[in-house]
Every structure is written in C-alpha cells, then in structure tokens.
Amino acid sequence: MKILFTFPLREDLKEELLDEFAGHEFLFTERGVKLGKDLEDADVLVTYGEDLDEEDIHRAGKLKWIMVTSAGVEKMPLPAIAHKRILMTNARGIHKIPMAEFTMSFLFQHAKQSKQLWEQERQGVWNRKAAFKEIYEETILVVGAGAIGTQIAKLARAFGMKTAGVNSSGNAVEGFDAIYSMDRLLEGLKDADYVVSVLPSTPSTKHVYKKEHFQNMKETAVFINIGRGDAVKEEVLLEALRNKEIDHAYLDVFKTEPLQEDHPFWTMDNVTVTPHISSISSKYLPRSMEIFRANLHTFINNGDQYVNIIDPERGY
Amino acid sequence: MKILFTFPLREDLKEELLDEFAGHEFLFTERGVKLGKDLEDADVLVTYGEDLDEEDIHRAGKLKWIMVTSAGVEKMPLPAIAHKRILMTNARGIHKIPMAEFTMSFLFQHAKQSKQLWEQERQGVWNRKAAFKEIYEETILVVGAGAIGTQIAKLARAFGMKTAGVNSSGNAVEGFDAIYSMDRLLEGLKDADYVVSVLPSTPSTKHVYKKEHFQNMKETAVFINIGRGDAVKEEVLLEALRNKEIDHAYLDVFKTEPLQEDHPFWTMDNVTVTPHISSISSKYLPRSMEIFRANLHTFINNGDQYVNIIDPERGY
C-alpha cells in the first residue's frame, strides 16, 4: 500500500504513523511542488485540500481514497473525484475547541480592557482606572448554532453567561437558553452583549447582517466574526462602527484576505483585526491524523465505517 | 438611625438604598476628607477600610457597626474597634468572579499570543505564523485553593484543563483533580503548564516560591500572580525569568505598588505587568451593597444573623 502526503508531516506524527502502519509505504513531498511519478502509484492521497487539480486526479490511476486534512473541500477538483468514484474524507469537527477558545479570548480582551492595559504597560504607566467588566451574567448570541457554536455556548455558560443562538430552523439546541430562527435574528441581536458570527459562506448567509441589525444592537454590544467575512457587507459594518452603533468589532475574517494594507479596519479604535487564525492550534494536525489513522485501519481492512465521508457531488 | 458613608455612592445604588430604607438618615462624604460632626452621631459607618484611625473610633460615640466594603481590614484601627466592641463586617466573597475571569484572560492572552497579534495589528501586518496553543488538556496549578482558587478551577475544568491545587492541609477540594499540601508544592509545580498564585500575604506565605521551584518548572510554564507580591522575592523571580526557566510571568501584584517606574518588569519580554486590578469590576460595589443591605435589615431589626462578621482581634 502506497500513501502519498502532499506536505511534509511533523516528525513525531510521522514516526507514529510509520510505527502503527509498518509494512506500508509512506511518501511525503514538499508543499506546492508538482506531484511526480509517485502520484501514479499512490493508493491513498493526504492533502490540505488546495493543491490538486483535475489532471492530478486523472494521472492517479490507482487512487482509491483522498484524505483532506482540513474542513473545506471547495478547492478540490470535485467533479473528477466524483467521476472516478474516489472515496473522500475530511477533518470536520476538529475546529471547535480552538475556535471556541479563541472566541472566549476576544470576550476577555474586551471585558478586561486588555488593549488599554498593554498600552499602559508599553508606556510604563500604573493606572488602575479602566472600565473593567465581567462576562458573568452577560448575554452571548451565537449566530450559527452548529458544532463550533455549541462549544462556544458550553464555555460561555460555564462563566455564568446567558446563551442564545441562531440557526436556520429555530429548533432548540442543547446548551442554549434560547434559539432564534434566522428570520428572527433581529430579536436575538437586540438583547445581546456579545454577538459571535460563526456563519459559513453560503448563498443564504451572504450579507445577512444589515444596517438595521447594527442600529438595533446595544451601544455597548460587541460583534465578533470568526465565520466568514462576507456575512456582512464591509460598508455596512464600517458605517455602524463609525456611527458608534456598537462598542467594538473583533474581526478574524474578511471579504478579501489578507486584509488590504490600507483598509480602515486596521486603524479604527473600535476594531480589532486578527489574520484568520481562530482555528490554528498546535493540536490541529494531531487531531487530523487521529481521524486519518482510524480511517486508514478501515481502509486496510476493507471496512466501510469511515469517519467524515464527503460526497464530492454535494461538497460536504 | 444615622448611616455615614465615607465615600460618595454611585447614584443608582444610593437611590436603591434610600428607597429600601426610607426613614433612615444616609450621609455620604467625599473620599479622604476628615470626618466632621456627623461621625459623632453615626450609628453605622460604611468605609473602604483605609480611611479611619483610632481617634475617629473614639470620637464616634454612638457607633455600633462598621461595614468595610472590601475584603482586607488590615488598615483599620482594630484594637480600638475591639476595645469598644463595635460590630465589624466586610465584603468577603465578592472577589472570586472577577479574579477568576481575570486569571482566565491571562491564560488566553498566553495561549492565543494576543500580544503578538496586537503588535501586528498596530503595524498593519497580516501574519498567520504564531505559536497558537490551546488551554484544553493543559494543567493548571492553583496555589491557594480557597474560594477564589476554587472558582478558577471550576472555569479551567470547563475548558477541559486538568486542575491541581495547593492548600495548607493537602485535603481534597471539590473541583480539583489533585490537591498538594504546601510542603509538596514542588511536586505540583513540576507538572503545571499554568501556575496561578492566589496566596495572601501572611508570615507563612511570604517568599514561598524559591529558586528551585522555578528551576523545576517546565520551560514552557507560565507563572501568574494575582495574590500578593511578596509570595516570591523579586530577585528570585527576576533571575528565573532572565534565565528563561519559565516562559512568561503575568504579574498583577508587586512587593511595592505602584511598581517603580524604572523596574525591569515593565520592559521584559517575558513579563506582563498589570496594575493590581484583578478584582476590579463594575459589579464590585453592587455586590458589596447587597451584603450591606442584608446586614442593615438585620441591624435595624436587632437580629444577630450577620453576613461576614470580622473579629477585630484576629483580623478576619
């Protein structure tokens, strides 16, 4: 059995694999290089999901399974994979812990005035006057109450927060005190101290936050976006922030990434910019390899209980 | 009944009091002014606990109860209060929520590299490379497993952390996976990723962290002090940080406060300085007044079930 990684694996994870699957051939290429003859003999391909094209799939004559070590498969040559009936799996589910932790870090930066404290430290100033708040008993609204959103609610609740969520159905979700359907979004936003947008980019979630949503939020409210940048039109968000309709926006995702150098978000006092990193964690690859190893056992044993099968025709 | 506050109370809290205790006389002075004739007639004194001297106690001929709206009473004229058998209560217990939240904010600043992200934002740099970690499955050691320490452990556990604590007895405490007695401190420190010192200043906790403690901690460990600065000799901590024996120290308390302008802590890369603010919160005074109001009802009704009675001879 020949297993081709289109990236170099961390040494400790590599050793684990070679140990557990002794007798099978593992190959690791540098990222971004054109795949050579090895592709033609590979039974299994492991990829981050951004480096394969249709021609690669056609050249891979023996390929039976592609493991994508991320959640998104939108950059994969899906029709070719569907046509050749190649099994595809991904690493869905490994984002919830780092993303929920990252969200909580934004809540604390805000409540504990971390930026002011850092600035004072830079200047060597001892000043105890600041608007320190607690997140205890505050209300968080998680827009997108899926796996990641539910993990956020679980943590928020441990801090004594009131938890509300928004999903498409409006059906109750464990861990949320209240769930609003998408068409009642405005209602949920009105009561929220912290709004966390975890929405993916789909036709129905594009530009879902409108001018009137921000106008109806509390003036002290915080808007956090860790989902996708196009959930809100930039002009709408900029205007809301310039008019001080909300207190602060913490943005990890943007319409265009990297965020343009001259973009006003960089320098606005009531905006914090981070470079799309909420899911990055030293545990990302180990967790992804855990899924891969479970599936590799299934593959070798001709089983059929795969974790995270993706239908290439649907794309999820 | 005459109730004298030695500070001006927030307008909303004042109205609440006047409403609930209509018919009683409330007086509010500015902070730091010498108390006048009102002191002689006051039945009840409400103070932050830093503005009374022995003479005041002797002048206060009608005084029967002093409410201290903080936790520490070490700056009160305790012998005079004991001698005159004046009832004393404090606001013990209202610090755990803000202090536990503040501790978690330090953990997240560290794991999510907030300072690096913030510096990149200042410079308008989009850079996704940083050592982002999770606190999930990391080990926290809380030195001082009392009310505040237990609240920290409760939150840490909600994030999937392993929780260990240190107290004087070594007896188990709910919320901690393991408890070490003070003489086994070194053992607990060896395994910890995050060490949180919540120790007060007492003869037995002074300079409790020694050179060998830091030498035996993980190189990646984080030391957080929200208790009292004298739990560790500054020279010991400075040397450990200069030798990179641990990764970072987050310090909210110091031997001398304010921290001297030219102190090396201000500018060290592996130190974060905050100005003794872990317990400050917009909810501090409301919580303190809640205790006061309960006790004032008891006082008016000649009851004896007071919350947080302090023995002036013991000082707690």
Side-chain angles (χ1 to χ4, degrees), chain A residues 115-127, chain B residues 118 122 261 266-267:
Chain A
K115 266 193 183 176
Q116 178 186 330
L117 290 173
W118 285 326
E119 189 55 41
Q120 288 178 192
E121 188 191 28
R122 277 170 48 90
Q123 300 178 2
V125 173
W126 183 277
N127 168 26
Chain B
W118 179 60
R122 278 170 47 90
E261 274 179 35
W266 283 115
T267 51

Side-chain angles (χ1 to χ4, degrees), chain A residues 21 27 32-33 45 59 72-73 83 107 118-120 123 167 172 177 199 229-230 254 257 259 284 312:
Chain A
F21 299 97
L27 290 159
V33 301
L45 254 183
R59 279 176 58 218
V73 295
H83 180 75
L107 265 69
W118 285 326
E119 189 55 41
Q120 288 178 192
Q123 300 178 2
N167 62 18
D177 302 330
L199 295 173
D230 63 2
F254 304 90
E257 295 180 5
L259 184 64
Y284 188 97

Side-chain angles (χ1 to χ4, degrees), chain A residues 32-291:
Chain A
V33 301
K34 188 72 199 155
L35 296 168
K37 172 106 186 41
D38 295 325
L39 179 62
E40 292 161 31
D41 306 330
D43 301 282
V44 180
L45 254 183
V46 185
T47 167
Y48 274 110
E50 305 191 340
D51 54 1
L52 296 177
D53 58 24
E54 203 170 318
E55 196 210 322
D56 291 324
I57 300 302
H58 288 303
R59 279 176 58 218
K62 298 179 65 185
L63 190 61
K64 289 172 214 75
W65 170 32
I66 302 173
M67 165 76 190
V68 181
T69 58
S70 72
V73 295
E74 69 272 14
K75 292 183 183 164
M76 295 286 287
L78 298 174
I81 293 167
H83 180 75
K84 291 190 71 179
R85 296 173 179 263
I86 296 168
L87 170 69
M88 184 161 64
T89 58
N90 76 352
R92 191 175 60 226
I94 69 174
H95 301 81
K96 66 180 187 177
I97 290 176
M99 289 179 80
E101 287 193 2
F102 196 77
T103 301
M104 296 310 290
S105 85
F106 275 154
L107 265 69
F108 282 118
Q109 275 185 43
H110 192 77
K112 304 307 175 188
Q113 302 286 331
S114 303
K115 266 193 183 176
Q116 178 186 330
L117 290 173
W118 285 326
E119 189 55 41
Q120 288 178 192
E121 188 191 28
R122 277 170 48 90
Q123 300 178 2
V125 173
W126 183 277
N127 168 26
R128 304 180 72 211
K129 296 221 184 321
F132 299 115
K133 293 188 288 192
E134 296 171 12
I135 65 168
Y136 179 75
E137 288 184 342
E138 297 277 277
T139 298
I140 189 169
L141 178 77
V142 181
V143 186
I148 296 160
T150 303
Q151 178 71 10
I152 294 170
K154 185 185 146 196
L155 298 181
R157 198 176 252 187
F159 281 89
M161 296 187 84
K162 297 165 205 153
T163 57
V166 176
N167 62 18
S168 46
S169 67
N171 292 340
V173 177
E174 170 135 14
F176 290 91
D177 302 330
I179 287 281
Y180 300 90
S181 59
M182 210 47 169
D183 54 355
R184 289 174 61 209
L185 173 63
L186 183 63
E187 216 175 309
L189 288 171
K190 281 180 181 170
D191 290 332
D193 298 299
Y194 295 88
V195 175
V196 185
S197 185
V198 199
L199 295 173
S201 176
T202 71
S204 66
T205 56
K206 195 173 173 179
H207 298 172
V208 77
Y209 302 99
K210 313 284 188 205
K211 193 171 169 167
E212 60 269 29
H213 289 125
F214 293 100
Q215 285 170 343
N216 281 287
M217 282 167 71
K218 293 183 184 178
E219 273 178 37
T220 54
V222 169
F223 179 75
I224 295 171
N225 195 352
I226 58 161
R228 285 291 180 265
D230 63 2
V232 51
K233 226 184 205 162
E234 280 194 354
E235 299 75 52
V236 170
L237 184 54
L238 274 169
E239 202 196 334
L241 288 160
R242 283 179 176 141
N243 295 343
K244 317 273 184 211
E245 287 162 13
I246 61 171
D247 193 35
H248 204 95
Y250 291 86
L251 307 174
D252 189 47
V253 289
F254 304 90
K255 188 180 123 197
T256 308
E257 295 180 5
L259 184 64
Q260 305 94 292
E261 276 179 35
D262 58 351
H263 198 289
F265 282 156
W266 284 115
T267 52
M268 290 170 77
D269 277 344
N270 53 356
V271 177
T272 295
V273 169
T274 56
H276 199 153
I277 39 119
S278 73
S279 71
I280 302 181
S281 148
S282 56
K283 289 185 180 160
Y284 188 97
L285 215 46
R287 283 199 191 108
S288 183
M289 283 301 109
E290 222 172 277
I291 296 175

